[in-house]
Amino acid sequence: MLYSNLIRPLLFKLPAETAHDITIRQLELLQNSYLGRGLIKLLSGHVESNPVQVMGLNFRHPVGLAAGLDKDAKVIRGLFQMGFSHIEVGTLTPKSQPGNDKPRLFRLKEDHALINRMGFNNEGSIAASRRLKKRDPNWGVVGGNVGRNKITNNENAIDDYIASMSHLRDYVDYFTVNISSPNTPGLRELQQEEVLKKLLTKISDDNSKSLKPRPLAVKISPDLSKQEVQSISRLAVTCGFNGIIGTNTTVNRIGLKTKANRIKDAGSGGLSGRPLTRHSTDVVAWIKEAVGDSAAVIGVGGIFNAQDVIDKRNAGADLVQIYTGFVYNGPSMINNIQKAWIK
Ligand SMILES: Cc1cc2nc3c(=O)[nH]c(=O)nc-3n(C[C@H](O)[C@H](O)[C@H](O)COP(=O)(O)O)c2cc1C
């Protein structure tokens, strides 16, 4: 209530990225004091426990925060305090990089959606690992989402993934290999079967040989055919991956309510939120059909309410993650939607 009546109207008066940055800064301050954490809890409400075990990890309940909101792992304590069972930090690259020119994040309020072309702006996986070192494992599960630097070409992409994973390995519980962001030129080409096979095999081999092998997930795009989704999912399982995350944002703009000129002004980038709900649920069902129980399915895309969670679960999801719904509905949605999860 406090979020939708007071905080959101104030934040939505600001440009989208400014609102995001202010929120992160406030959370950084609040999470570090007992009083601040109490305030976060008050705002978020009580989140009940509803334990699930996925990829060999124990989750307090099935609802987590999707990658991209806390790219640099600055506010995981505050976010866990809100009630998320898991937080996926990143996408992290081995070297820090500024991302694309601003403006690069836009609200489509009529559509309950966002368009972003952030371009993996992040301080690098070493800086994130220093922050994650201080985390208490009891707060919840942390996933490390990794990608390649913009200046690295696809031939050398493997080295970037492996480097970030070695920086983060001691401090995260699972890894997500991001091959589906539309905002790093050429990244989605890594989803081509032969290229992907090489990438996933190398990552998986490196992971198994390490002192602390972690469960591995791959995050895929919603802009693939059913056949592509299913062959990528099967390939990931063959390569030893434990989870498939569907989906990232879409480059599709069909059926939006927002005026065409505003959508055009926003320009290129990935669309998230309500327009993605149904299609990402379909993708979850395609993944489940392909992998059965041989890998976990993590459903992401346009989750705003309990029904959206039920739909993802019925399609085969073992966990769900939210981003845009959280921006629109605030932290009190976490408990409401996780209660809908009864398996
Ligand atoms: C501003 C913004 C930044 C994002 N950054 C990343 C990212 O760095 N890595 C990633 O894997 N996904 C990223 N995503 C995609 C989300 O994790 C999620 O897959 C997508 O937005 C669909 O979920 P939603 O409809 O609940 O937002 C980003 C999304 C948004 C809106």
Side-chain angles (χ1 to χ4, degrees), residues 20 65-69 71 88-92 104-105 114-118 120-121 145 176 178-181 183 219-220 245-250 270-274 276-277 280 300-304 321-327:
H20 172 268
L65 179 69
L69 194 139
K71 289 185 192 269
E88 201 166 295
V89 301
T91 296
L92 288 156
R104 54 192 181 178
L105 178 59
L114 296 171
I115 287 180
N116 92 83
R117 55 168 167 283
M118 307 300 285
F120 292 170
N121 55 308
N145 179 310
T176 296
N178 183 6
I179 46 166
S180 50
S181 166
N183 302 313
K219 185 165 178 179
I220 63 175
I245 306 185
T247 67
N248 213 311
T249 55
T250 177
L271 174 75
S272 58
R274 189 44 96 197
L276 191 59
T277 311
S280 66
V300 199
I303 294 175
F304 284 75
Q321 297 180 337
I322 56 175
Y323 188 149
T324 307
F326 177 62
V327 171

Side-chain angles (χ1 to χ4, degrees), residues 144-188:
N145 179 310
V146 291
R148 71 155 165 81
N149 277 111
K150 189 178 177 181
I151 53 161
T152 306
N153 55 31
N154 274 353
E155 277 93 85
N156 298 320
I158 292 180
D159 298 339
D160 276 13
Y161 287 96
I162 300 275
S164 287
M165 287 168 74
S166 78
H167 299 150
L168 294 163
R169 184 170 300 282
D170 285 344
Y171 314 111
V172 298
D173 302 300
Y174 72 91
F175 284 114
T176 296
V177 174
N178 183 6
I179 46 166
S180 50
S181 166
N183 302 313
T184 293
L187 190 86
R188 287 177 160 200

Side-chain angles (χ1 to χ4, degrees), residues 61-134:
H61 58 73
V63 180
L65 179 69
L69 194 139
D70 189 14
K71 289 185 192 269
D72 290 308
K74 288 184 173 167
V75 287
I76 58 163
R77 187 169 194 179
L79 291 164
F80 277 128
Q81 190 72 9
M82 288 182 182
F84 287 110
S85 69
H86 64 286
I87 290 160
E88 201 166 295
V89 301
T91 296
L92 288 156
T93 54
K95 295 193 192 76
S96 73
Q97 59 177 30
N100 293 322
D101 291 341
K102 294 179 188 175
R104 54 192 181 178
L105 178 59
F106 307 85
R107 289 183 204 101
L108 307 185
K109 278 192 245 172
E110 297 89 330
D111 287 295
H112 290 92
L114 296 171
I115 287 180
N116 92 83
R117 55 168 167 283
M118 307 300 285
F120 292 170
N121 55 308
N122 77 106
E123 295 177 9
S125 44
I126 295 179
S129 68
R130 283 201 197 104
R131 291 190 189 103
L132 289 168
K133 209 177 199 162
K134 296 179 198 140

Side-chain angles (χ1 to χ4, degrees), residues 54 242-246 284 287-288 291-292 295-299 316-320:
V54 180
N242 314 84
I244 321 286
I245 306 185
V284 166
I287 299 170
K288 184 67 186 173
V291 303
V297 184
I298 299 159
D318 297 292
L319 292 172
V320 293

